[in-house]
Amino acid sequence: MKDVDRSRLRGSVAAWSDGRGFAQSTPLADQHRDLLPRRITNAQLSGLNGLVQAASSLRQVAAFAQHQAARAARSGRPDVKGYWDALRQTLEGLEREADDLAAQAGMLSAMPEAKGKPQTKAPDWLVLWLAQEFVQHLVVHSLYIGRKERSSN
């Protein structure tokens, strides 16, 4: 990573977070606003945020979402399962976003080749960084919606 301008990468991630990251997170919360805060609880949202901040890979976060979806399915709550499935799919789509950011930052050409092939995928830490930014926006917007829903009742 020494050949990549770190401040440029930080700026690119910040711009992605404020733009596409925010734009992808708010519709997910809005589409499932009827689940907030009773069916998708503040504790679950806080747990998701804590997990994504502590995770070492996106796979751990996706596995958590898949586990939550399976629990909801076993409990006969297809609406809650749909939320967690949509979250997992969105998180998995962040790999493409990270690939684009890595290419724009010149990271892929600066990274060592694997088995003689050029690097074409963003490193896991960059994908996880985007997931952290996305989940942070999702949780904050979800908490805002939940508070707004409670105060209107």
Side-chain angles (χ1 to χ4, degrees):
M1 166 110 168
K2 60 186 170 187
D3 294 340
V4 175
D5 182 354
R6 290 174 190 217
S7 65
R8 186 172 141 203
L9 181 60
R10 268 193 301 276
S12 295
V13 171
W16 177 89
S17 177
D18 292 344
R20 292 184 55 79
F22 179 77
Q24 291 178 24
S25 66
T26 54
L28 181 60
D30 288 336
Q31 289 168 1
H32 296 91
R33 74 180 324 123
D34 57 317
L35 301 176
L36 303 167
R38 288 182 175 76
R39 308 274 310 229
I40 303 293
T41 66
N42 292 351
Q44 287 175 304
L45 294 170
S46 294
L48 171 64
N49 194 41
L51 173 72
V52 77
Q53 297 301 324
S56 59
S57 74
L58 182 65
R59 286 183 297 284
Q60 289 177 324
V61 183
F64 173 77
Q66 188 171 357
H67 171 74
Q68 293 292 75
R71 285 182 58 196
R74 285 191 303 272
S75 299
R77 300 182 334 210
D79 51 349
V80 175
K81 179 185 183 311
Y83 172 85
W84 291 107
D85 285 340
L87 174 62
R88 183 182 47 78
Q89 290 169 352
T90 302
L91 289 170
E92 289 171 350
L94 294 179
E95 291 178 354
R96 288 186 302 280
E97 303 270 349
D99 293 344
D100 291 346
L101 279 178
Q104 291 168 11
M107 287 179 66
L108 300 183
S109 60
M111 293 176 70
E113 295 181 357
K115 299 181 183 177
K117 297 179 183 175
Q119 187 70 28
T120 60
K121 301 296 277 175
D124 287 343
W125 61 262
L126 182 56
V127 179
L128 187 58
W129 190 1
L130 296 187
Q132 290 167 343
E133 296 291 322
F134 170 83
V135 167
Q136 185 174 349
H137 286 298
L138 176 68
V139 168
V140 167
H141 192 68
S142 297
L143 293 173
Y144 170 75
I145 288 171
R147 185 168 302 257
K148 201 165 120 178
E149 293 292 317
R150 276 196 307 250
S151 67
S152 68
N153 290 338

